[in-house]
Amino acid sequence: QLNKAPQIESNIMSLQQKCKHMQAQSREQLDNYIRAVSVYRGFRLKYDSATSTLLDQLEQTEVDRSQMLHRVLKLYLEIQQVMVQQSLRNIDTISKHIANIDAHSDNMVFVEKYRSNVKKPALPDPKFHPDDEDDGTKIYSVNDDIEESAEVKYWCEKWRLVIGKILERDIELVSPKTTVSNSVNGDTDNDDNNNTNTG
């Protein structure tokens, strides 16, 4: 046992040194932890302060936006009120104007205002149209030039069909030349008969 005493003392001293070393490391780690907590708290304070400032700014911005929107709406309502009042005044004015309208007097005022003092030219003498100048006394002779071209005959036939369709019966168009010729021949025959009877 006496031989083991130095070894035991050596072990105790070794353990004491290890304990001191561990205590030193523990204090060092504690100091590091305290510094880390201090740094974190400082960062958190700055972060919370910046966040709080930003939130305050956002809140103020929202308040300003709401106030501006309210002002815009208020101005819009004021403008609408002015427009409605103007419209009511216009309607009242128009109603009064319509109530005082007199078509006869307004027409007379218009005529007097825009009447021209320039004398109007005299109206021309009435004349018959060349187609209406025949009063029935004109006598057509057989030698009068009456066109009998193919185009005239074509349109005469068209006209005969149209008139016949309207009258629902077939009609016969008599040429003026034939009418005049028959009239002349009839007059000649009557003169001959008269001469014969007279003789």
Side-chain angles (χ1 to χ4, degrees):
Q1 294 179 349
L2 295 174
N3 294 329
K4 293 181 179 180
Q7 185 177 358
I8 293 172
E9 291 179 359
S10 176
N11 290 335
I12 291 173
M13 292 178 63
S14 176
L15 291 172
Q16 288 178 349
Q17 290 178 355
K18 288 181 179 180
C19 183
K20 291 179 180 180
H21 181 67
M22 292 180 66
Q23 288 177 353
Q25 288 182 347
S26 176
R27 285 194 298 270
E28 184 179 359
Q29 294 298 327
L30 180 61
D31 293 339
N32 291 335
Y33 173 76
I34 292 172
R35 284 195 298 272
V37 170
S38 178
V39 172
Y40 172 75
R41 288 179 177 177
F43 167 76
R44 188 56 187 254
L45 289 174
K46 292 180 180 179
Y47 175 79
D48 291 343
S49 178
T51 303
S52 178
T53 302
L54 180 60
L55 291 176
D56 292 340
Q57 292 176 354
L58 292 176
E59 182 180 359
Q60 185 62 38
T61 302
E62 184 65 20
V63 170
D64 294 340
R65 188 187 69 84
S66 299
Q67 291 177 351
M68 181 181 67
L69 182 60
H70 290 166
R71 288 195 299 270
V72 170
L73 292 176
K74 185 177 180 180
L75 291 174
Y76 175 77
L77 291 177
E78 291 178 357
I79 293 172
Q80 292 298 318
Q81 289 176 354
V82 172
M83 293 177 64
V84 170
Q85 293 174 359
Q86 183 64 37
S87 298
L88 292 175
R89 286 194 295 269
N90 293 339
I91 292 173
D92 184 62
T93 303
I94 294 172
S95 300
K96 292 180 181 178
H97 182 71
I98 292 175
N100 296 327
I101 285 179
D102 185 358
H104 182 68
S105 61
D106 289 346
N107 190 31
M108 292 180 61
V109 171
F110 177 82
V111 172
E112 291 295 333
K113 182 178 180 180
Y114 294 100
R115 175 178 292 175
S116 175
N117 295 324
V118 179
K119 293 183 178 180
K120 296 182 179 179
L123 295 175
D125 296 333
K127 294 182 180 180
F128 285 108
H129 190 272
D131 295 339
D132 299 330
E133 290 181 351
D134 184 9
D135 56 357
T137 60
K138 182 178 180 181
I139 299 176
Y140 295 91
S141 63
V142 181
N143 296 327
D144 287 342
D145 185 15
I146 299 176
E147 184 179 4
E148 293 186 357
S149 63
E151 184 178 1
V152 172
K153 293 180 179 180
Y154 170 78
W155 287 109
C156 287
E157 181 64 19
K158 288 286 186 182
W159 181 254
R160 185 183 70 79
L161 293 176
V162 171
I163 298 300
K165 189 69 174 178
I166 296 174
L167 299 178
E168 297 184 350
R169 62 184 178 85
D170 192 14
I171 63 172
E172 180 181 359
L173 295 179
V174 180
S175 174
K177 181 181 290 187
T178 304
T179 303
V180 174
S181 176
N182 293 335
S183 176
V184 172
N185 290 334
D187 293 341
T188 303
D189 292 339
N190 291 331
D191 292 341
D192 293 340
N193 292 329
N194 292 332
N195 293 332
T196 301
N197 293 330
T198 303

